[in-house]
């Protein structure tokens, strides 16, 4: 006779999430994704080209936001892990952090893309920039709290590798939908604004220039972002239930294992710092985010000042990128299953490097910029989804400290992005004006560097994982904490 059916509670695997639960989880980061799309794509453009602040001043505000996010992220991760290990409300500790972060984002984000209250023509630039600082810090704290709480729920909700990839891919599919929504709304608002201000004989080139007349466009876009994002955050909180670890010990029977799985060593945050795999995955994640975020940040500048395209292209080209990424995200699960994590990441990296080579060899892309955008969107989606899946692989069954891992990864990502942007802005060849002739070549090579240059660094990080695969040593287990069994 074969073995009988598994006894409930005797090491049985949790039931898979229902489609509704997967969908409600996937939309939990939608508000963050909407805000991040505006932040990375339009913040520098809004501050520099619309509000006419200096390139260094605009870069300093973005650096402030990235550093604030980077500092808040590991702290939120640590606190979320500590709350998960103690007594918390029935609502769930990670969902509670998600709710607190959502409120902060909703209350602060619209002020970032609105004119400075009380500022006039004689207000010095430093005073106007100082006004935006507190709103940026509050927004980045809320963004970090929402991101870490949402990411750290993946190991809590699902256990198998393929389910993690599927949940991550579904989450990123909604990230792409969020970006598509932002760029579609931006195109519509820019089109309506141009139609309202353009005269019958006005030159089409002048009508396509960004300026102070576009302030209402970005203000209305930010208000639409927080309104739609609030609805999706509500759906997440209504449809997602955080699983709580049972604290009781059940009576053993003939189907119970000889060694209780509860006796697994408990990996704390300080133990992660002793694991080489933690740094391997961290460097890969950081370089991946640099490629994705910096290419998103400087794409609008590249289109405006290097290719001299009308302002509607700052919405249509990113829209093409994220449509490409949207369709690519559905290939992640079968591709990971067929060729594995490492080679899936390598395939996406090759596509990004192909985009970098194309831009480097062509000064005037013309209509071909749409095809280049398709390459960049598909490549960025592939490497980002795969790097997130690798991070979930690193955490594995140690979900009790998963928020710290995600927090540490995001810390390196945010600080590196902020420093990179500040370095680029400091090298801007036109410090005293919006743009000069040197801008054409400057933003052209910035796009090559942030995709090709950082892509080479990501290739080296991937090679380390091919030589030394993701594996926790778990040495000196006597120093690890063991959960109590009684």
């Amino acid at each position: 006779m074969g073995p009988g059916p598994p006894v409930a509670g005797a090491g049985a695997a949790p039931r898979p999430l229902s489609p509704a639960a997967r969908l409600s989880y996937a939309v939990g980061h939608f508000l963050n994704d909407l805000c991040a799309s505006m932040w990375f794509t339009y913040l520098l453009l809004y501050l520099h080209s619309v509000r006419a602040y200096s390139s260094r001043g605009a870069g300093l505000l973005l650096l402030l936001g990235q550093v604030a996010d980077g500092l808040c992220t590991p702290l939120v991760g640590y606190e979320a892990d500590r709350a998960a290990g103690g007594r918390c409300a029935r609502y769930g500790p990670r969902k509670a952090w998600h709710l607190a972060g959502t409120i902060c984002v909703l209350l602060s984000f619209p002020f970032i893309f609105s004119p400075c209250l009380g500022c006039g023509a004689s207000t010095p630039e430093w005073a106007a920039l100082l006004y935006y600082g507190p709103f940026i810090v509050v927004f980045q704290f809320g963004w970090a709290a929402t991101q870490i709480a949402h990411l750290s729920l993946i190991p809590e909700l699902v256990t198998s590798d393929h389910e993690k990839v599927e949940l991550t891919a579904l989450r990123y599919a909604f990230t792409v939908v969020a970006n598509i929504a932002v760029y579609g709304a931006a195109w519509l608002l820019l089109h309506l604004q141009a139609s309202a201000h353009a005269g019958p004989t006005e030159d089409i080139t002048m009508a396509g220039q960004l300026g102070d007349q576009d302030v209402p466009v970005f203000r209305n876009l930010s208000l639409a972002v927080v309104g739609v994002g609030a609805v999706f955050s509500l759906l997440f909180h209504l449809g997602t239930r955080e699983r709580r670890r049972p604290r009781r010990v059940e009576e053993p029977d003939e189907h119970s294992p000889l060694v209780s799985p509860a006796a697994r060593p408990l990996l704390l945050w300080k133990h992660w710092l002793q694991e080489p795999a933690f740094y391997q995955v961290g460097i890969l994640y950081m370089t991946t985010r640099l490629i994705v975020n910096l290419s998103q940040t400087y794409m609008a500048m590249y289109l405006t000042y290097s290719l001299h395209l009308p302002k509607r292209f700052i919405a249509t080209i990113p829209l093409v990128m994220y449509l490409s990424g949207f369709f690519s995200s559905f290939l992640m699960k079968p591709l990971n299953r067929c060729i594995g994590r490492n080679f899936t990441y390598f395939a996406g990296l090759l596509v990004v490097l192909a985009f970098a080579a194309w831009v480097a060899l062509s000064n005037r892309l013309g209509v071909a910029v749409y095809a280049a955008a398709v390459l960049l969107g598909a490549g960025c989606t592939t490497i980002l989804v795969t790097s997130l899946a690798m991070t979930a692989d690193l955490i594995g069954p140690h979900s009790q400290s998963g928020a710290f891992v995600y927090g540490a990864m995001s810390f390196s990502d945010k600080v590196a992005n902020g420093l990179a942007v500040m370095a680029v802005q400091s090298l801007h060849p036109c410090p005293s004006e919006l743009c000069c002739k040197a801008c054409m070549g400057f933003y052209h090579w910035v796009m090559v560097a942030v995709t090709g240059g950082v892509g080479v660094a990501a290739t080296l990080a991937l090679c380390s994982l091919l030589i030394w695969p993701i594996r926790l040593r778990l040495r000196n287990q006597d120093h690890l904490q063991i959960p109590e069994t009684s």
Side-chain angles (χ1 to χ4, degrees):
M1 296 178 61
V7 177
R15 290 182 298 177
L17 289 179
S18 66
R22 293 170 188 265
L23 191 63
S24 66
Y25 170 81
V27 302
H29 206 253
F30 200 72
L31 172 62
N32 265 21
D33 293 329
L34 292 170
C35 294
S37 179
M38 280 199 69
W39 173 267
F40 284 111
T41 306
Y42 294 133
L43 182 69
L44 288 182
L45 196 70
Y46 172 75
L47 294 174
H48 186 57
S49 300
V50 178
R51 301 298 298 158
Y53 296 136
S54 66
S55 59
R56 289 190 179 183
L60 188 62
L61 282 182
L62 194 143
L63 174 62
L64 172 65
Q66 296 302 102
V67 171
D69 191 0
L71 292 175
C72 291
T73 297
L75 295 177
V76 169
Y78 174 76
E79 290 296 329
D81 284 334
R82 190 173 68 167
R87 295 184 178 181
C88 190
R90 292 183 178 181
Y91 192 67
R94 304 188 194 281
K95 284 184 62 181
W97 275 101
H98 187 286
L99 180 61
T102 298
I103 293 173
C104 290
V105 170
L106 293 175
L107 294 179
S108 60
F109 187 73
F111 290 95
I112 299 174
F113 285 91
S114 298
C116 170
L117 297 178
C119 296
S122 60
T123 303
E125 181 177 305
W126 66 265
L129 297 180
L130 191 63
Y131 163 85
Y132 289 107
F135 294 111
I136 288 176
V137 172
V138 173
F139 161 67
Q140 292 293 357
F141 167 78
W143 201 97
T146 304
Q147 181 203 35
I148 294 306
H150 194 256
L151 279 176
S152 60
L153 276 172
I154 294 179
E156 295 280 348
L157 298 176
V158 294
T159 54
S160 71
D161 290 342
H162 293 309
E163 283 183 314
K164 290 176 184 176
V165 174
E166 185 177 19
L167 207 58
T168 303
L170 187 60
R171 174 186 182 274
Y172 189 72
F174 276 95
T175 299
V176 177
V177 172
N179 282 272
I180 291 172
V182 168
Y183 298 135
W187 176 86
L188 180 62
L189 290 172
L190 287 170
H191 177 75
L192 294 175
Q193 189 272 343
S195 300
H197 289 80
T201 60
E202 186 173 359
D203 182 68
I204 188 170
T205 303
M206 295 302 295
Q209 297 290 329
L210 284 168
D212 190 62
Q213 73 277 2
D214 295 304
V215 168
V217 171
F218 292 93
R219 181 195 61 211
N220 295 337
L221 185 59
S222 66
L223 292 174
V225 159
V226 296
V228 174
V231 174
F232 281 92
S233 295
L234 179 62
L235 294 176
F236 162 79
H237 283 276
L238 293 177
T240 302
R241 290 190 176 183
E242 183 175 347
R243 292 174 178 172
R244 296 184 297 276
R245 299 180 185 86
R247 301 185 62 88
R248 68 181 186 277
V249 178
E250 300 187 6
E251 293 297 327
D253 56 22
E254 66 272 17
H255 298 287
S256 301
L258 294 177
V259 179
S260 172
R264 181 188 295 118
L266 184 62
L267 212 62
L268 302 179
W269 66 271
K270 58 184 177 182
H271 302 131
W272 285 108
L273 301 179
Q274 303 170 14
E275 294 291 341
F278 174 78
Y279 299 98
Q280 288 177 275
V281 177
I283 293 174
L284 187 73
Y285 182 84
M286 180 186 69
T287 52
T288 300
R289 282 292 187 177
L290 279 173
I291 294 172
V292 175
N293 293 341
L294 291 180
S295 62
Q296 186 178 2
T297 298
Y298 286 103
M299 176 58 77
M301 297 292 196
Y302 172 66
L303 296 171
T304 302
Y305 297 119
S306 293
L307 300 183
H308 295 291
L309 297 173
K311 62 184 178 182
R312 68 175 184 273
F313 278 83
I314 68 173
T316 56
I317 294 301
L319 181 61
V320 170
M321 288 173 53
Y322 277 94
L323 282 173
S324 172
F326 177 78
F327 292 112
S328 300
S329 66
F330 293 104
L331 300 176
M332 293 301 100
K333 184 177 179 179
L335 200 59
N336 272 268
R337 183 176 296 172
C338 292
I339 64 177
R341 298 268 201 275
N342 293 336
F343 287 103
T344 300
Y345 186 94
F346 183 66
L349 203 55
L350 285 179
V351 177
V352 173
L353 292 175
F355 166 84
W358 194 351
V359 172
L361 297 174
S362 177
N363 290 328
R364 306 291 292 180
L365 287 176
V367 181
V369 70
Y370 286 100
V374 170
L375 286 180
L376 185 59
C380 287
T381 298
T382 302
I383 62 176
L384 183 56
V385 170
T386 308
S387 66
L388 287 171
M390 288 178 174
T391 307
D393 289 341
L394 175 69
I395 296 171
H398 306 286
S399 60
Q400 72 285 338
S401 56
F404 170 77
V405 176
Y406 284 118
M409 302 294 177
S410 292
F411 173 77
S412 62
D413 143 45
K414 300 303 188 305
V415 175
N417 273 281
L419 293 176
V421 168
M422 194 62 204
V424 171
Q425 294 299 104
S426 297
L427 296 174
H428 196 280
C430 318
S432 60
E433 52 184 316
L434 289 181
C435 191
C436 58
K437 188 175 181 181
C439 273
M440 288 184 61
F442 178 73
Y443 287 115
H444 172 86
W445 290 110
V446 165
M447 284 301 299
V448 174
V450 300
T451 53
V454 183
V456 172
T459 303
L460 297 177
L462 180 64
C463 289
S464 74
L465 289 176
L466 292 173
I467 299 173
W468 300 287
I470 299 175
R471 184 179 298 111
L472 298 183
R473 297 179 303 168
L474 291 178
R475 295 176 181 173
N476 301 323
Q477 293 190 0
D478 293 340
H479 296 86
L480 301 182
Q481 292 188 5
I482 308 297
E484 296 181 0
T485 58
S486 61

